[in-house]
Structure formats: C-alpha cells, structure tokens
Amino acid sequence: MRRGREDPGRLHGTPPPRWARLAPAAAVVVLCCAQWLTPGDVELGYFLAALPAVAAFSYGPLGTFAFAVLVLVLLGVPQIGVAHARGSDLATVAVVGLLSVVISLVRRRRDDQLVSVRTVAEAAQLAVLPPVPDQVGPVRCRGLYRAAQRGTLVGGDLFDVRTGPYGVRAVVADVQGHGLAAVGTVAALLGAFREAVLDDPELAAVAARLDRRLVADATAASIRHAELFATAVLLEFPPGLDLVRIVSCGHPPVLLLRGFTTAELAVEPGPPLGLGLTGGELPKVTEVPLLPGDRLLAHTDGVTEARDAGGEFYPLASRIPVLANDPEGLVQAVWRDLEAFTAGGPRDDVAVLLLSLPAMEP
C-alpha cells in the first residue's frame, strides 16, 4: 500500500464468484438434457427441486423466485418431458422454493449488514493509521503495510511521516503483540508522536515521550496488558541540511541505499519503548550525512524474521540491489519477493518505509 493502498485487502464485501451464479443455470441445462437423452422410466428431473435452495446462496430474492418458478414449470408441464410431477410433489417443490426465497432474503440482509460493519471498521482503522502521502514536506515517501490478521488493515506495526517546526520526522515501530489486540497501543504511540513532532525540539525527546506514553498506559488500570513495549526507530530530516538524524529503540537497523550498495546504518541502539529506561538520560542521536541519490529504508522485524520452508531468514539487505530497479517501486518489489520467499507471505505484521529527498534523487 502507499501506506500503501495498492493492497488487495479492502474490507468491503465482494459479490459471489461468477461460477456460483452460473452453476444453477448450468445445472438446469445439464439435468434437462440428461433427462431428454435418458431412455426408459428413469426420471432425473426431480433433482431440479434442489436448485432454488442452491440459487439462494448466490442470487437475491427475485432471482431465487425466478429459479423456483422455472423448476415448477419444468416439473409440472409433462409436454416438456423433464418430469411428471403432480399434486403433493409440486406442493413440496413449491414449499422448497418459497423457503429458498426466504433464505435468500435473510442472506441478502446479513450481507448488507456485514458490508456496513466492514466499512465502518475500515474507516476506523484508516483513522488510526492513514495512508502516508507521496511527499511530506521535502521528503518523498513510499510505504507498505500488511497486517498479519486476515481481514484487518492495522496490526501491531506502525509508521508515520509528519512535518513540523523542526523538520520532517518519521517513525517506524513494532508494538507488543499483533492484530487487533495491538491497535490500541498503535493509536497511543501515533498520537504521542504527532504531538511530539510539533512540541519537542530534540529527536531524543520524541523517543522519551513515546516511552512515557507506554509506561503510563502499562500502569493504567484500564489497560488489559500489564506490560507494554515497542521497538521503534525515529528519523529526522532537519530543514536545509543534507543529513538525517536517527534514534533507535531496540529496532532493526535502517538500511542506507547508496548507488548499487546497501548498508545497515551504525546507530547506537537504545532500549525498547515502554520499559521506563530512558529516565533522565535521553537516547543517543546519530547523524548520518546524505549524498545525492541516497535512500533510507526502515522496516519492522516482520520482514527480516520471515522464514522460508527451510527455516532461513529473509535476506533483505542482499535482496535490495536485485529489487531496486523494479518498475513498480522498491517497496512493492520487496513485498512480492517476500511473498515468494515465504510461499504466501509472512505470518507477522509487516511495515516498510522508504524515504528520500527530491534534490537527492538522480
């Protein structure tokens, strides 16, 4: 996704597959032809009685009613040569058709309710973690996010890029747990980060604010989990300077893409957020000069800890040079490569954020 939203994982309902809608009509044709071609007293047409119930799972009430009427006509008109139903047989088929229409009506209403609930859920999740724009201030952004829990847009990873009086700041973090259980912590961290972008002049103070947020939540009686922690990396692009400032809180290293090489940035790691270890001593800030064409790739451990069938970890750093020139973009290339490596995608939340300055791009 662009926070990335080229993702196929939209939560809205989808119509039944085409084969499900064609199956009842195809069954009518097949059973009629089979009956006409079958000699003797063998009657296959009575299998048609089940078709309205089948149609109820893929058609609305009107479509199901049409199938019920069609079946009654085929079974009740001897001249058609499909069956010779009479009296109680036709009454039974009519009852089945009526019940099928009711089932279709109930299913349609439940589907509409489900779509409504999913739409609200998607709006709520996007409010927590909205898509990252193509550009924030002078910084260009490309992001990709995949939640491990099926049917969700937000999990236990997060990233955000914001501009403020002290430059453009970005965060990539991985909170304790994953899936919907971690969304509350994600929301708390993002709220604290967005305030810090505006208020805290030092990048280390931003990390300290996030740490205090998790410590306060962990001690609150309303929080279900007694312990909350998160790994995070913070980046700052100061105005007018060709450098980036980085603070790491137990997070995987940021990758510097320079030319055809990829290197992990040497940043002194601090403790994860939420352990209350920042105290009066702020975490260390590392300044990295940037050259024209440099790009920075931050990610969560859902990428580098993904394993293949043989138990090998995904070699992100060594794969970057191979994927860097993909026409669809690096982050999308990483995801496709990761899916192929793990035969279907990792089981953990995944977040990848690529940052660069326009003046530094070739």
Side-chain angles (χ1 to χ4, degrees), residues 190-249:
L190 286 172
F193 170 75
R194 290 161 186 169
E195 292 180 358
V197 167
L198 300 175
D199 298 338
D200 295 326
E202 301 295 331
L203 188 62
V206 178
R209 182 189 289 248
L210 301 184
D211 179 76
R212 290 195 303 271
R213 176 73 272 165
L214 290 187
V215 170
D217 286 350
T219 57
S222 59
I223 301 299
R224 179 179 298 179
H225 300 289
E227 296 181 358
L228 293 175
F229 66 89
T231 66
V233 61
L234 298 164
L235 301 95
E236 178 182 87
F237 296 86
L241 300 178
D242 293 341
L243 60 86
V244 61
R245 298 188 179 117
I246 302 176
V247 169
S248 177
C249 300

Side-chain angles (χ1 to χ4, degrees), residues 219-298:
T219 57
S222 59
I223 301 299
R224 179 179 298 179
H225 300 289
E227 296 181 358
L228 293 175
F229 66 89
T231 66
V233 61
L234 298 164
L235 301 95
E236 178 182 87
F237 296 86
L241 300 178
D242 293 341
L243 60 86
V244 61
R245 298 188 179 117
I246 302 176
V247 169
S248 177
C249 300
H251 200 77
V254 175
L255 298 178
L256 173 63
L257 285 61
R258 176 170 291 171
F260 296 100
T261 64
T262 303
E264 295 183 352
L265 292 180
V267 177
E268 183 176 346
L273 302 173
L275 300 183
L277 300 180
T278 54
E281 182 179 353
L282 296 176
K284 302 296 182 181
V285 178
T286 301
E287 290 191 354
V288 179
L290 296 177
L291 300 178
D294 285 352
R295 292 180 290 175
L296 299 169
L297 186 72

Side-chain angles (χ1 to χ4, degrees), residues 10-35:
R10 301 290 289 184
L11 298 185
H12 295 306
T14 57
R18 180 175 297 180
W19 64 264
R21 297 182 63 84
L22 294 178
V28 170
V29 174
V30 170
L31 287 173
C32 289
C33 292
Q35 180 62 62

Side-chain angles (χ1 to χ4, degrees), residues 43-238:
E43 292 193 2
L44 302 176
Y46 285 104
F47 287 104
L48 293 170
L51 291 184
V54 175
F57 290 98
S58 54
Y59 284 85
L62 291 178
T64 304
F65 178 76
F67 270 101
V69 171
L70 175 62
V71 169
L72 282 173
V73 171
L74 291 174
L75 296 181
V77 179
Q79 289 79 4
I80 298 178
V82 174
H84 301 82
R86 290 290 185 273
S88 60
D89 292 334
L90 286 177
T92 301
V93 173
V95 170
V96 171
L98 179 61
L99 292 177
S100 299
V101 172
V102 173
I103 292 173
S104 175
L105 179 62
V106 172
R107 181 193 60 80
R108 175 62 62 85
R109 289 182 176 178
R110 294 294 296 271
D111 286 350
D112 291 342
Q113 292 175 351
L114 181 59
V115 170
S116 177
V117 169
R118 286 180 170 177
T119 302
V120 172
E122 179 176 312
Q125 292 179 70
L126 290 178
V128 172
L129 193 61
V132 170
D134 289 341
Q135 186 162 330
V136 179
V139 178
R140 289 187 177 175
C141 315
R142 292 293 185 275
L144 180 138
Y145 193 105
R146 296 292 187 275
Q149 186 170 336
R150 184 179 179 86
T152 62
L153 301 177
V154 180
D157 290 357
L158 64 97
F159 58 66
D160 199 8
V161 185
R162 298 278 165 160
T163 184
Y166 311 106
V168 176
R169 288 171 171 172
V171 61
V172 178
D174 182 358
V175 309
Q176 175 193 22
H178 60 267
L180 293 176
V183 172
T185 308
V186 168
L189 281 177
L190 286 172
F193 170 75
R194 290 161 186 169
E195 292 180 358
V197 167
L198 300 175
D199 298 338
D200 295 326
E202 301 295 331
L203 188 62
V206 178
R209 182 189 289 248
L210 301 184
D211 179 76
R212 290 195 303 271
R213 176 73 272 165
L214 290 187
V215 170
D217 286 350
T219 57
S222 59
I223 301 299
R224 179 179 298 179
H225 300 289
E227 296 181 358
L228 293 175
F229 66 89
T231 66
V233 61
L234 298 164
L235 301 95
E236 178 182 87
F237 296 86

